[in-house]
Structures are given as structure tokens and as C-alpha cells.
């Protein structure tokens, strides 16, 4: 199927179904958090983060890259990230300082990307550094969640996993954010 065919299909592609599933799982995630099920919420985060990779891979494999998918994927990523961090901060499972740095960058980039898309009709391409950031942060955040229910050496082990992954993830998160700023400016210049 060509890219034009996928655009005509709109929402009805396999990768878009995966992205939509990730978005719907955000509700299940919040239910698990509200029920103080940190370990289950962490497991669901890992599954949701895996679908972020899966939808892009399927889109390329099945030649079903679409404009709808280009919008659904970052919406799913943003909802997943913001929910994981915000819920973890509310519960005291994610350190506030790290959470604030993740949220501020996520909101700024989402707002910028939305504005660029509204102004130009074009989306900002996903950066490899953004994917690296998401990978590290979705190692860190579930590790913080799993540390909540663990004791002694196991809790320490999860913390040892979480903190370095957070540090590396934040560096890539902000670095990619600057890249998205530059990319958005390039999109705007091309449209003029």
C-alpha cells in the first residue's frame, strides 16, 4: 500500500490501531495508579512504551504511514509520558525534580509542535534523540514504580536502575526538545 493509500484510509490502519490502543491504555494505567498498584502500573507502562516502537515499525513494514498516524503517535507518547510522570509525582513514586523537568519539556514541545502543525499543516518529524530519551525515561519511570513495592536490596537495585536512566533520559529529552524547536522553525521557513 502506498503512503497516499494510507492517507485515504485515515484511521483504519494497523499502526494507527496500535497507537489508539496505547492512548486507551492510559485510562487503565490511571485506574491502576488510583488503586495503588504500582507494580502493575509499571508493567503496563512497559507494554505501552513497547507499542510506541511497534506502531512506527508496522507503519514502515506495511507501508501504512499516514497523516493520522503522524498525529496519533505523538499524542499517545505525550499522554503516556505525562500520565506516567504526573501520576508518579502525585503518588510520591517519581522524584518531583525529575518529574518537573520531564513535564516542562514535554508540554513545551507538545505545544510548539501543535502550533507548528496548526500554522503550516505539517508535522515535525520524530527525532532519533527523542526516541532515545523515551527509551531511557521508560526504563527509569517503571523502575521508580517497581522500587515502591520492593524492600531492601531489590528496592536499592531498582533505584540504581532508575537514577542513571533518568539522568541520561533527561539529557536526551532536552537535547531532542531543542532539535524539535529548530525543526519547527525550518518547517515554518519552508512554508513561507
Amino acid at each position: 500500500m502506498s503512503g497516499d493509500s494510507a492517507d485515504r484510509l485515515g484511521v483504519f490502519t494497523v499502526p494507527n490501531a496500535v497507537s489508539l490502543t496505547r492512548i486507551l491504555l492510559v485510562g487503565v494505567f490511571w485506574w491502576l495508579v488510583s488503586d495503588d498498584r504500582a507494580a502493575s502500573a509499571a508493567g503496563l507502562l512497559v507494554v505501552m512504551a513497547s507499542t510506541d516502537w511497534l506502531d512506527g515499525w508496522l507503519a514502515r513494514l506495511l507501508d501504512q504511514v499516514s497523516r493520522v498516524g503522524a498525529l496519533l503517535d505523538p499524542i499517545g507518547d505525550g499522554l503516556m509520558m505525562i500520565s506516567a510522570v504526573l501520576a508518579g509525582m502525585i503518588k510520591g513514586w517519581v522524584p518531583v525534580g525529575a518529574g518537573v523537568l520531564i513535564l516542562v519539556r514535554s508540554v513545551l514541545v507538545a505545544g510548539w509542535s501543535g502550533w507548528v502543525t496548526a500554522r503550516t499543516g505539517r508535522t515535525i518529524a520524530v527525532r532519533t534523540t527523542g526516541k532515545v530519551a523515551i527509551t531511557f525515561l521508560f526504563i527509569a519511570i517503571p523502575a521508580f514504580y517497581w522500587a515502591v513495592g520492593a524492600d531492601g536490596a531489590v528496592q536499592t537495585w531498582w533505584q540504581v536502575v532508575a537514577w542513571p536512566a533518568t539522568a541520561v533520559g533527561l539529557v536526551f529529552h532536552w537535547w531532542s526538545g531543542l532539535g524539535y524547536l529548530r525543526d519547527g522553525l525550518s518547517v515554518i521557513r519552508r512554508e513561507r
Side-chain angles (χ1 to χ4, degrees):
M1 173 182 301
S2 73
D4 292 337
S5 299
D7 281 340
R8 282 193 299 271
L9 288 174
V11 174
F12 302 108
T13 67
V14 173
N16 291 352
V18 173
S19 294
L20 189 58
T21 300
R22 181 168 67 252
I23 292 168
L24 294 174
L25 286 174
V26 169
V28 176
F29 167 78
W30 276 100
W31 172 73
L32 291 170
V33 169
S34 69
D35 202 31
D36 289 326
R37 295 170 58 187
S40 296
L44 183 58
L45 283 174
V46 170
V47 170
M48 291 166 62
S50 299
T51 68
D52 181 35
W53 170 82
L54 180 64
D55 60 7
W57 179 76
L58 286 172
R60 290 182 295 279
L61 178 72
L62 301 174
D63 193 21
Q64 293 183 345
V65 174
S66 69
R67 288 188 184 124
V68 171
L71 290 173
L72 278 179
D73 184 53
I75 289 170
D77 292 351
L79 283 173
M80 179 178 60
M81 177 64 73
I82 290 169
S83 293
V85 173
L86 189 59
M89 287 171 51
I90 290 168
K91 288 292 191 174
W93 302 342
V94 171
V96 172
V100 167
L101 287 171
I102 294 167
L103 290 177
V104 167
R105 183 275 188 196
S106 296
V107 169
L108 289 174
V109 168
W112 172 246
S113 297
W115 184 80
V116 169
T117 300
R119 182 172 171 163
T120 66
R122 298 189 182 276
T123 57
I124 299 172
V126 174
R127 293 183 140 263
T128 301
T129 52
K131 292 294 184 182
V132 170
I134 292 288
T135 300
F136 276 99
L137 293 174
F138 274 100
I139 291 168
I141 295 167
F144 281 126
Y145 277 50
W146 278 314
V148 169
D151 292 317
V154 174
Q155 184 178 48
T156 301
W157 187 86
W158 281 120
Q159 294 286 338
V160 166
V161 169
W163 281 108
T166 300
V168 173
L170 280 170
V171 168
F172 277 98
H173 202 47
W174 280 90
W175 183 20
S176 68
L178 293 173
Y180 288 126
L181 173 64
R182 285 190 307 269
D183 293 348
L185 290 171
S186 295
V187 168
I188 291 168
R189 282 189 207 110
R190 278 194 303 262
E191 286 300 307
R192 291 181 184 163

